Amino acid sequence: MAALRTKNITDAAAFIESTETASALFYDTEEANILTATTPNIMDTLKKANRRRSIGMYSTTAYAGAALLGRAAGLNTGLANSAFTLAYKTLSGVTVDNLNTTQLDNIKKYNGNAYVNYGGRYDLFVKGVMANGTHFDEVLNLDQLVSQIQIAVMNLLTSVAKIPQTDDGVAMMGNAIVPVCESARIRGAIAPGIWKREPILNLNTGDALPTGYVVLAETIASQSVADIAARKAPPIYVPVKLAGAIEFVVIGVVVDQ
């Protein structure tokens, strides 16, 4: 039965990773090999497969993964300042597991998660990462941004008589993308910062992004005759700075008498 469950999770993770629709797999397991860092185990398998869209938690509570999914869905309101991480959240209907430090470290080693008690006071989910180590909120925020940009551009294409194949026409498409990025900024998903990746058009490494995003496009003059004949827009780029999150802190108390 355990082997069948492991295969089902593995197969579901592979499907989720390959589907065109942006999706995520939430699963729970109480596989003993995870606690003792013994392989094979499901978390090690998904980590080695570099699954970016699967998030698993060790739990002895049935359907704990569904509770985690419900928590994530409930937090994702889309309102101002609603961006969230899964770290340190409480889970309804899930009992904390009495794990020692070594067992919890072994779970984390496989990019797994758990629901545990700290200090006899806090029941907390740690630490909110996918099987490949990416934080869940990064996956969610980027999926939302990409989807909403696609919808905004599609709404433009279907709501006007035509978009001229000129730089002004390209600007119309860029203007449709700006409110989507602004909404992500208001939610707290993206924030002002310094662009640290490779240059894109006139955005250089080290340049400031005062709003956390910018919409850039190549010119019509740069297009090939074939692309113009095919009525293609020149490439549009949307560099964004994720707001990130603080989840760990070191505090020094310095005393003088």
Side-chain angles (χ1 to χ4, degrees), residues 8 18 25 43 64 82 87 97 103 127 180 184 190 201 256:
N8 287 344
S18 64
L25 171 68
M43 288 184 175
S82 64
D97 286 296
Q103 291 171 328
K127 56 184 180 169
V180 175
I190 61 179
L201 298 183
D256 185 20

Side-chain angles (χ1 to χ4, degrees), residues 5-246:
R5 176 172 169 76
T6 296
K7 185 180 185 304
N8 287 344
I9 294 173
T10 303
D11 290 348
F15 171 77
I16 289 294
E17 206 75 27
S18 64
T19 184
E20 292 185 5
T21 303
S23 309
L25 171 68
F26 290 72
Y27 76 92
D28 56 81
T29 179
E30 53 180 310
E31 189 176 348
N33 279 359
I34 296 170
L35 300 185
T36 59
T38 303
T39 56
N41 65 67
I42 185 59
M43 288 184 175
D44 180 61
T45 298
L46 297 189
K47 178 183 177 181
K48 288 179 177 176
N50 198 36
R51 298 305 187 198
R52 187 175 182 273
R53 294 188 169 277
S54 295
I55 181 168
M57 62 180 293
Y58 176 88
S59 180
T60 55
T61 300
Y63 308 113
L68 179 62
L69 171 58
R71 187 72 163 114
L75 289 168
N76 190 33
T77 65
L79 300 176
N81 299 316
S82 64
F84 66 94
T85 73
L86 284 179
Y88 313 132
K89 301 301 185 289
T90 57
L91 299 179
S92 178
V94 179
T95 302
V96 295
D97 286 296
N98 185 23
L99 304 173
N100 61 42
T101 300
T102 298
Q103 291 171 328
L104 184 56
D105 285 346
N106 288 338
I107 293 171
K108 293 178 180 178
K109 168 185 173 182
Y110 298 121
N111 294 330
N113 307 272
Y115 194 49
V116 293
N117 179 273
Y118 283 88
R121 182 175 180 180
Y122 301 101
D123 292 343
L124 303 173
F125 179 77
V126 292
K127 56 184 180 169
V129 297
M130 315 304 282
N132 74 341
T134 302
H135 289 273
F136 169 78
D137 53 287
E138 292 184 15
V139 176
L140 176 65
N141 289 331
L142 288 175
D143 281 351
Q144 286 184 310
L145 183 64
V146 170
S147 175
Q148 290 168 2
I149 286 175
Q150 291 174 331
I151 292 170
V153 173
M154 191 63 187
N155 285 343
L156 175 66
L157 287 167
T158 57
S159 64
V160 298
K162 79 165 187 175
I163 300 175
Q165 198 166 20
T166 63
D167 289 333
D168 286 343
V170 177
M172 289 173 61
M173 302 182 77
N175 290 338
I177 295 171
V178 168
V180 175
C181 296
E182 186 62 15
S183 177
R185 184 192 66 78
I186 292 171
R187 286 198 310 273
I190 61 179
I194 303 299
W195 184 251
K196 297 180 181 178
R197 297 195 60 180
E198 63 277 1
I200 301 177
L201 298 183
N202 63 342
L203 176 66
N204 296 308
T205 306
D207 284 354
L209 290 178
T211 58
Y213 64 89
V214 65
V215 181
L216 307 171
E218 296 183 11
T219 63
I220 292 293
S222 68
Q223 285 191 286
S224 67
V225 173
D227 281 350
I228 292 175
R231 297 193 166 187
K232 294 180 180 179
I236 297 174
Y237 305 90
V238 188
V240 300
K241 286 288 295 185
L242 293 180
I246 295 174

